[in-house]
Amino acid sequence: MIICVCRRISDREIARHAHAGMGFDDIQLELGVATQCGRCEGSARDLVSQCSATCPSANISLAADLALGPSWNTQAA
Ligand code: FES
C-alpha cells in the first residue's frame, strides 16, 4: 500500500528501513517521505513505531554502534 502519495513510497519500503533500525528522521531523509504535502507523516510515523516495537533488536544494535563512537577519532590526542 502506498503511504506517501507525493513520493510514491509504500508501507513495505518504510517497514524495511524501520526493521533495519532506522528511525523516522533517517527514513525521511533517505526516502523523502513526508517532505512535500506532509499528509502522510502521521501514518509513516505510526508505521515506523510499529516496526520498531516488533523488531527491537535492530534498534539495540544501532544504539550499540552509536555508543562505540566514531572509530576514526580514537587516535586523536
Ligand atoms: S503524501 Fe507524503 S508528502 Fe504528500
Side-chain angles (χ1 to χ4, degrees), residues 18-59:
H19 284 301
M22 295 175 76
F24 177 80
D25 292 343
D26 293 331
I27 294 171
Q28 185 178 41
L29 188 65
E30 179 81 12
L31 301 178
V33 64
T35 57
Q36 289 189 6
C37 77
R39 290 184 198 157
C40 61
E41 183 171 347
S43 298
R45 284 187 183 275
D46 288 347
L47 180 57
V48 171
S49 295
Q50 289 171 10
C51 292
S52 298
T54 60
C55 188
S57 61
N59 291 329

Side-chain angles (χ1 to χ4, degrees), residues 1-14 40 43:
M1 177 177 77
I2 295 295
I3 296 292
C4 181
V5 175
C6 296
R7 301 299 299 256
R8 299 180 61 110
I9 299 167
S10 69
D11 55 345
R12 285 182 174 196
E13 202 167 1
I14 293 170
C40 61
S43 298

